[in-house]
C-alpha cells in the first residue's frame, strides 16, 4: 500500500515538473499588428421617421459610416450597411 502511494506521488511530481518546465520552454515571439486599430467617432442622432433614436458610427481610419438603432417594440438592434465616405466625397469634387 505504501509503495503504491509512493509511486503515485512520484508520478504526480514528475507530471508537475514537466508542466512547470514547459512554461519556460516555449519561445516568446513578438507579434506585430498589420494595421493599427481604427478610431471611431460615435454621434447620437434622431430621425423624424423610423426609430426614435440612433447612433452614427464613423470609422475615421477607413472612412466608413454606419448606424445602429434599437427597436423597443421588437427588442432588436437594427443596423445600417456601412457607407464608404471616401468614395462619396471624391465623387463630389
Amino acid at each position: 500500500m505504501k509503495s503504491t502511494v509512493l509511486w503515485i506521488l512520484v508520478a504526480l511530481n514528475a507530471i508537475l515538473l514537466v508542466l512547470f518546465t514547459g512554461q519556460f520552454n516555449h519561445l516568446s515571439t513578438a507579434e506585430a499588428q498589420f494595421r493599427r486599430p481604427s478610431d471611431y467617432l460615435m454621434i447620437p442622432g434622431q430621425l423624424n421617421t423610423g426609430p426614435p433614436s440612433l447612433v452614427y458610427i464613423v470609422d475615421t481610419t477607413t472612412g466608413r459610416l454606419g448606424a445602429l438603432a434599437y427597436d423597443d417594440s421588437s427588442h432588436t438592434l437594427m443596423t445600417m450597411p456601412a457607407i464608404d465616405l471616401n468614395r462619396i466625397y471624391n465623387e463630389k469634387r
Side-chain angles (χ1 to χ4, degrees):
M1 178 71 177
K2 288 184 181 181
S3 65
T4 306
V5 172
L6 178 68
W7 283 111
I8 290 173
L9 288 175
V10 168
L12 181 62
N13 282 327
I15 291 171
L16 289 174
L17 181 65
V18 168
L19 291 175
F20 180 71
T21 57
Q23 294 291 324
F24 303 108
N25 213 10
H26 63 66
L27 297 176
S28 178
T29 59
E31 296 180 15
Q33 292 179 337
F34 294 110
R35 177 174 79 88
R36 75 176 187 90
S38 297
D39 293 325
Y40 295 101
L41 179 64
M42 300 176 80
I43 306 164
Q46 290 186 342
L47 296 175
N48 292 337
T49 61
S53 62
L54 55 107
V55 176
Y56 296 103
I57 302 171
V58 180
D59 183 351
T60 58
T61 303
T62 61
R64 296 176 62 89
L65 167 73
L68 296 170
Y70 182 73
D71 187 9
D72 286 330
S73 62
S74 64
H75 303 290
T76 58
L77 187 64
M78 298 181 295
T79 61
M80 178 187 88
I83 298 171
D84 187 9
L85 295 176
N86 295 323
R87 183 180 56 87
I88 292 172
Y89 286 122
N90 288 334
E91 286 179 1
K92 294 189 177 193
R93 290 184 185 174

